Amino acid sequence: MINENIEFIVYDGALDMVREKVDKALSSAPVIIRKYTEHLTASAGKYIRAVSLLICAQNREGKIHVNAVSFAAAIELLHLATLVHDDVMDNAGVRRGRVTLQKKYGRKTAVICGDYLFSVALKMAASVPNKEDYIKLNMPDYISRVCLGELNQHINNGFLDLSAYQYFKIISGKTAALFEASFCAGAILSGYDAEHPDNKDSQPEAGTIAKYMRLGKYAGMIFQIQDDCMDFEKTREIAKKPVQSDYQQGVITLPLIYTFKKLLGLKDKARSNELTQEELKAAVTQSGGLAYTHMIAGRYYDKSIKIIDQLDISSDKRSKLIYVLDKAYGKS
Amino acid sequence: MINENIEFIVYDGALDMVREKVDKALSSAPVIIRKYTEHLTASAGKYIRAVSLLICAQNREGKIHVNAVSFAAAIELLHLATLVHDDVMDNAGVRRGRVTLQKKYGRKTAVICGDYLFSVALKMAASVPNKEDYIKLNMPDYISRVCLGELNQHINNGFLDLSAYQYFKIISGKTAALFEASFCAGAILSGYDAEHPDNKDSQPEAGTIAKYMRLGKYAGMIFQIQDDCMDFEKTREIAKKPVQSDYQQGVITLPLIYTFKKLLGLKDKARSNELTQEELKAAVTQSGGLAYTHMIAGRYYDKSIKIIDQLDISSDKRSKLIYVLDKAYGKS
């Protein structure tokens, strides 16, 4: 396949192009489904996956291959699809401050809309002229991994003996997989050299792509680990999350796993449903569970910096990658 | 991309290879999901989509490109994924004589398993060495069309004024799309010439592929139209279907649309919930609704034969294509 008409864009403004592309996909869906997809436009999230992808995609000239916009939009749509199905599974009423699709239009509609979004995401990724890049990205594999993470979490719902190992396995699927996909997609595109648009040798070697993928995985782990801490730390107003905490929904996370180990008797109390939300919050703090969990996120952060140091990139790209890590960590 | 190591298989036995491939994908899934995917192995259906694909894929020597097995397995897995989600939406208890995944393991598990099967199907299709064929097949587009058909049916659930036009639109998505995909995949592969494995010029022209696709669409229409007749005609034992009829589930089909037009007053009775299953059966027969619907299926059959006549194929392949039409029609 010959890479024809390659175009490059500058970093500033690229994210707006992704947002536009996602919004357009949602608002220009076939009439029959538009009401539902349009409902989702307003609930757009932080776009951290898209930002990551765009940063990783920057080439030596700091330019971004235009296909990065399609890949980033595709991954955000994929993420949206998983959220729509998550809400069906959790019977959730609110997401990102808006009533959920399944609450407003019912479970059936939400199941179909999620499926539809999967297909739109895949079509968008496949629409790039460089089909080899699309094949290399291997999106279906990431969908599998997200599903397995979700299933693992669902199976272990309310399982108070969940191990740290199992916890890491769950989050590496449900959250880190799509971060990895974003970094992978960016890395694939980063090799295109604006000066030599049809120089196929400019594609990064497999080793470099693997480094970006590991970095993406770690960024996802940091993001989820810190999010799981926030569930205990923040008040409802700050977290912009529904009233129900992870614990109340049966989701056991690292701060609690650590706390159950440290505070003997606490698990028995949880088992007999005697643990109040307030006691729980106090326990994860006093036991050092939150501090321990932040420390783990910090280790992933440090490991990520080591990978960034191995990349042959400009100081601007380096700063931007660290910005993503900070964003995931909650520092910025 | 160079087509390396092309292998060809004979038609006899190819279907068993597809079944094996599907079963293996289901029984060798990651441990965490295997219990659920294995539950689905035993519920394998008629494989009419796979059979269609294999027949269409036969080349001039009567041989089949080995990739047809992967594509056929992928489309059957895709079909299975839609069934799993259908059962969630309909809250169905039985499918193909077996308890459904959602009934046995719950809604959440079934939503995730359906998503997982989508990804497995896509991965399987993408696993063929000839990536161009995979891209050309455009599977995500067919998933979109199935979703839109399902949504259209769901939105019009219980809508007694459904028009014949709307009915055709629904079934051309929910059923005919995957038949079209099967015929399209077969047509793409049919051009590989066993004598000249790397002769890329042997790929069929777009016009030929379009003919196969139309044929596939018609086969799907015939299949669904006849199935909708069967819902009124057959007893539970013969149909191997659950007790609830389409009508009871709010699915309005062509025999009834015709009958509502012919027997004035019947719709009002239905509107006030006074129509019994027996009256309904009698009405669709007496009004000529069933005869009319079979006639419509017959028209699609005739149109299909005309397309087959335009194809430059062996008499063996011609017979096999007619066999598929007969199967869809219920003649064989």
Side-chain angles (χ1 to χ4, degrees):
Chain A
M1 260 170 269
I2 301 154
N3 305 319
E4 285 168 356
N5 305 321
I6 288 183
E7 278 181 81
F8 292 86
I9 52 174
V10 292
Y11 179 79
D12 297 324
L15 185 61
D16 287 337
M17 289 171 75
V18 176
R19 283 189 199 278
E20 254 173 53
K21 198 154 183 124
V22 169
D23 282 354
K24 204 183 156 195
L26 295 173
S27 62
S28 68
V31 174
I32 188 167
I33 204 163
R34 199 177 297 161
K35 181 166 72 173
Y36 314 110
T37 53
E38 270 187 337
H39 177 78
L40 297 166
T41 51
S43 63
K46 295 178 279 281
Y47 273 65
I48 186 168
R49 293 159 194 79
V51 170
S52 305
L53 195 156
L54 295 172
I55 292 171
C56 293
Q58 282 196 297
N59 68 11
R60 297 198 173 278
E61 283 78 30
K63 296 274 178 64
I64 299 173
H65 191 286
V66 72
N67 289 354
V69 176
S70 297
F71 278 167
I75 288 175
E76 288 293 341
L77 284 166
L78 207 58
H79 177 53
L80 196 58
T82 66
L83 296 183
V84 169
H85 278 181
D86 273 6
D87 290 339
V88 172
M89 292 189 283
D90 299 341
N91 206 13
V94 179
R95 156 89 61 186
R96 294 170 177 172
R98 259 178 87 86
V99 59
T100 61
L101 206 63
Q102 73 95 25
K103 178 83 179 176
K104 187 161 184 185
Y105 298 109
R107 177 162 51 93
K108 295 188 189 190
T109 306
V111 171
I112 301 174
C113 284
D115 291 347
Y116 178 76
L117 290 177
F118 275 127
S119 69
V120 173
L122 287 158
K123 271 197 280 187
M124 187 169 286
S127 73
V128 299
N130 322 67
K131 304 300 181 198
E132 285 154 5
D133 292 341
Y134 166 65
I135 295 289
K136 210 186 274 176
L137 176 53
N138 204 356
M139 271 179 90
D141 202 43
Y142 290 106
I143 301 178
S144 289
R145 284 170 55 192
V146 173
C147 290
L148 294 175
E150 295 280 358
L151 181 64
N152 203 349
Q153 175 169 302
H154 167 53
I155 286 172
N156 286 297
N157 190 270
F159 180 54
L160 301 176
D161 294 329
L162 191 80
S163 68
Y165 173 78
Q166 286 173 299
Y167 165 80
F168 287 121
K169 207 166 171 194
I170 289 169
I171 68 168
S172 84
K174 77 164 185 171
T175 309
L178 279 195
F179 274 84
E180 188 181 310
S182 305
F183 279 66
C184 175
I188 290 170
L189 295 173
S190 69
Y192 285 109
D193 191 327
E195 302 298 309
H196 308 286
D198 48 11
N199 177 10
K200 291 195 74 174
D201 297 335
S202 66
Q203 284 257 350
E205 39 154 359
T208 303
I209 294 177
K211 275 177 195 151
Y212 275 97
M213 285 164 75
R214 211 159 67 246
L215 189 58
K217 185 187 164 176
Y218 292 167
M221 299 298 277
I222 294 168
F223 181 83
Q224 189 59 57
I225 291 168
Q226 292 291 88
D227 198 62
D228 292 339
C229 286
M230 193 164 77
D231 190 67
F232 290 103
E233 291 164 340
K234 295 276 170 77
T235 60
R236 190 195 167 190
E237 288 65 34
I238 298 173
K240 284 181 190 156
K241 285 261 180 130
V243 193
Q244 273 217 319
S245 71
D246 287 338
Y247 175 72
Q248 282 174 301
Q249 289 186 296
V251 178
I252 309 300
T253 58
L254 194 56
L256 192 56
I257 292 169
Y258 181 91
T259 303
F260 278 153
K261 261 198 184 163
K262 287 282 161 182
L263 299 183
L264 300 172
L266 194 76
K267 204 188 275 185
D268 290 332
K269 213 169 173 188
R271 230 182 280 283
S272 51
N273 269 323
E274 288 166 10
L275 204 56
T276 68
Q277 197 67 11
E278 286 67 35
E279 281 177 287
L280 198 73
K281 267 183 109 159
V284 291
T285 309
Q286 283 154 22
S287 70
L290 284 173
Y292 170 80
T293 307
H294 284 308
M295 187 270 290
I296 294 292
R299 273 198 207 159
Y300 276 111
Y301 188 97
D302 295 343
K303 279 171 28 169
S304 301
I305 297 289
K306 276 190 188 143
I307 297 174
I308 292 175
D309 286 340
Q310 292 168 27
L311 297 172
D312 179 20
I313 52 175
S314 68
S315 65
D316 172 63
K317 187 164 178 176
R318 185 190 148 83
S319 308
K320 286 203 177 88
L321 285 173
I322 291 173
Y323 162 81
V324 167
L325 292 179
D326 288 345
K327 199 101 185 156
Y329 196 91
K331 285 184 191 171
S332 66
Chain B
M1 262 169 270
I2 300 155
N3 305 318
E4 284 168 355
N5 304 321
I6 287 184
E7 278 182 78
F8 291 86
I9 51 174
V10 291
Y11 179 78
D12 297 322
L15 185 61
D16 287 337
M17 289 171 75
V18 176
R19 282 190 200 278
E20 255 172 53
K21 199 154 182 122
V22 170
D23 282 354
K24 205 183 155 196
L26 295 173
S27 61
S28 68
V31 174
I32 188 166
I33 204 164
R34 199 177 296 162
K35 179 165 76 174
Y36 313 111
T37 52
E38 271 187 337
H39 178 78
L40 297 166
T41 51
S43 63
K46 295 180 280 281
Y47 272 65
I48 186 168
R49 292 159 193 79
V51 170
S52 303
L53 194 156
L54 295 172
I55 292 171
C56 293
Q58 281 196 300
N59 67 12
R60 296 198 173 279
E61 283 78 29
K63 296 273 177 62
I64 300 172
H65 191 287
V66 72
N67 289 354
V69 175
S70 296
F71 279 165
I75 287 176
E76 289 293 341
L77 283 166
L78 208 56
H79 177 53
L80 196 58
T82 66
L83 296 183
V84 168
H85 278 181
D86 274 5
D87 291 339
V88 172
M89 292 188 284
D90 298 342
N91 206 11
V94 180
R95 159 86 63 184
R96 293 171 178 171
R98 258 177 88 86
V99 59
T100 60
L101 206 62
Q102 74 95 23
K103 177 85 178 175
K104 188 161 184 186
Y105 298 108
R107 177 163 50 93
K108 295 188 190 192
T109 306
V111 171
I112 302 174
C113 284
D115 291 347
Y116 178 75
L117 290 177
F118 275 126
S119 70
V120 173
L122 287 158
K123 272 196 279 186
M124 188 168 286
S127 73
V128 300
N130 322 66
K131 305 300 182 199
E132 284 155 5
D133 291 343
Y134 167 65
I135 295 289
K136 209 186 275 177
L137 177 53
N138 205 356
M139 271 178 90
D141 202 44
Y142 289 107
I143 302 178
S144 290
R145 284 170 55 191
V146 173
C147 290
L148 294 175
E150 296 279 357
L151 181 65
N152 203 349
Q153 176 170 300
H154 168 54
I155 286 171
N156 285 297
N157 191 271
F159 179 54
L160 300 175
D161 295 328
L162 191 80
S163 69
Y165 173 78
Q166 286 173 298
Y167 165 80
F168 287 121
K169 207 166 173 195
I170 289 169
I171 68 168
S172 83
K174 76 164 187 171
T175 309
L178 280 195
F179 274 83
E180 188 181 310
S182 305
F183 278 66
C184 175
I188 291 169
L189 295 173
S190 69
Y192 286 107
D193 192 326
E195 303 297 309
H196 308 285
D198 47 11
N199 177 11
K200 292 195 70 173
D201 297 336
S202 65
Q203 284 257 351
E205 39 155 0
T208 303
I209 294 176
K211 275 178 193 151
Y212 275 97
M213 285 165 76
R214 211 159 67 245
L215 190 58
K217 184 186 166 177
Y218 290 169
M221 299 298 276
I222 295 167
F223 181 84
Q224 188 59 55
I225 291 169
Q226 292 290 89
D227 198 64
D228 291 340
C229 287
M230 193 164 78
D231 190 67
F232 291 102
E233 291 164 340
K234 294 277 170 74
T235 60
R236 189 194 168 189
E237 288 67 33
I238 298 173
K240 285 182 188 155
K241 285 262 181 131
V243 193
Q244 273 219 318
S245 71
D246 286 338
Y247 175 71
Q248 282 173 300
Q249 290 185 295
V251 179
I252 310 301
T253 58
L254 194 55
L256 190 56
I257 292 168
Y258 182 91
T259 302
F260 278 153
K261 261 196 184 166
K262 286 284 161 180
L263 300 184
L264 300 172
L266 195 76
K267 204 189 273 185
D268 290 333
K269 215 171 170 183
R271 231 183 279 280
S272 52
N273 270 323
E274 287 167 12
L275 205 55
T276 68
Q277 197 66 11
E278 287 65 38
E279 280 177 289
L280 197 75
K281 267 182 107 159
V284 291
T285 310
Q286 283 154 23
S287 69
L290 284 173
Y292 171 79
T293 307
H294 284 308
M295 187 270 288
I296 295 292
R299 272 197 206 159
Y300 276 111
Y301 188 97
D302 295 342
K303 279 171 29 171
S304 302
I305 296 290
K306 276 189 186 143
I307 298 174
I308 292 175
D309 287 341
Q310 292 168 28
L311 297 172
D312 179 20
I313 50 175
S314 69
S315 65
D316 172 63
K317 186 163 178 175
R318 185 191 149 83
S319 307
K320 286 202 178 90
L321 285 173
I322 292 174
Y323 162 81
V324 167
L325 292 179
D326 287 346
K327 199 102 184 155
Y329 195 92
K331 286 183 190 170
S332 66

